[in-house]
Amino acid sequence: MNEMNGHDIEDLRPGQSATFSRTITEADIVLFAGVSGDNNAVHLNDEFARTTAFGGRIAHGMLSASVISAAIANRLPGPGTVYLSQQLKFRAPVRPGDTVHATVEVVSVDLARSRAVLSTTCRVRDQVVIDGEATVMATSSRQRAQAA
């Protein structure tokens, strides 16, 4: 670990994993709608949402996926990591009150470019609700030493 309690690119190995969990609250959904401008009734209007295939309100997909960002920023690789890309597949809805468990796992490491590919999975209870793959740029102890 580095001084920010994150993992430098030199620390990463395929198979390493970490999980970050967050319960999606009513406040999260309302605030996300305000920040994003996504005021879709399936997220905000229970009466309307009950008439949809979901049978009730669901959280925004990108709000649920943001738990992956928290896993990357806070766990693996951790502070200082920069997102380069994210591919997502939404498998099942997340509902208000659900706890999303985002797990990231190192798939490959490119030391020369300080990049890592991570598999990304979100679960609610035992059900996969989102899966995908992220590419990130991690901090580097080598680069810090060269700069000093």
Side-chain angles (χ1 to χ4, degrees), residues 24-80:
I24 304 299
T25 67
E26 175 68 27
D28 294 329
I29 293 169
V30 171
L31 289 169
F32 189 85
V35 168
S36 69
D38 180 348
N39 295 305
N40 187 332
V42 75
H43 306 306
L44 302 172
N45 182 322
D46 191 54
E47 187 175 306
F48 170 80
R50 282 195 305 266
T51 69
T52 70
F54 299 109
R57 291 176 51 232
I58 60 172
H60 302 77
M62 296 309 288
L63 170 59
S64 302
S66 73
V67 182
I68 298 167
S69 180
I72 291 169
N74 297 312
R75 301 282 193 267
L76 186 71

Side-chain angles (χ1 to χ4, degrees), residues 105-126:
E105 182 176 341
V106 178
V107 174
S108 64
V109 178
D110 181 345
L111 284 172
R113 297 175 65 205
S114 296
R115 296 189 180 182
V117 174
L118 311 171
S119 68
T120 58
T121 306
C122 290
R123 287 183 171 77
V124 172
R125 291 171 285 287
D126 292 328

Side-chain angles (χ1 to χ4, degrees), residues 66-116:
S66 73
V67 182
I68 298 167
S69 180
I72 291 169
N74 297 312
R75 301 282 193 267
L76 186 71
T81 303
V82 176
Y83 241 123
L84 298 176
S85 68
Q86 174 76 58
Q87 173 268 324
L88 299 167
K89 292 181 184 171
F90 296 95
R91 304 287 187 185
V94 173
R95 300 185 184 280
D98 282 349
T99 300
V100 176
H101 305 277
T103 300
V104 297
E105 182 176 341
V106 178
V107 174
S108 64
V109 178
D110 181 345
L111 284 172
R113 297 175 65 205
S114 296
R115 296 189 180 182

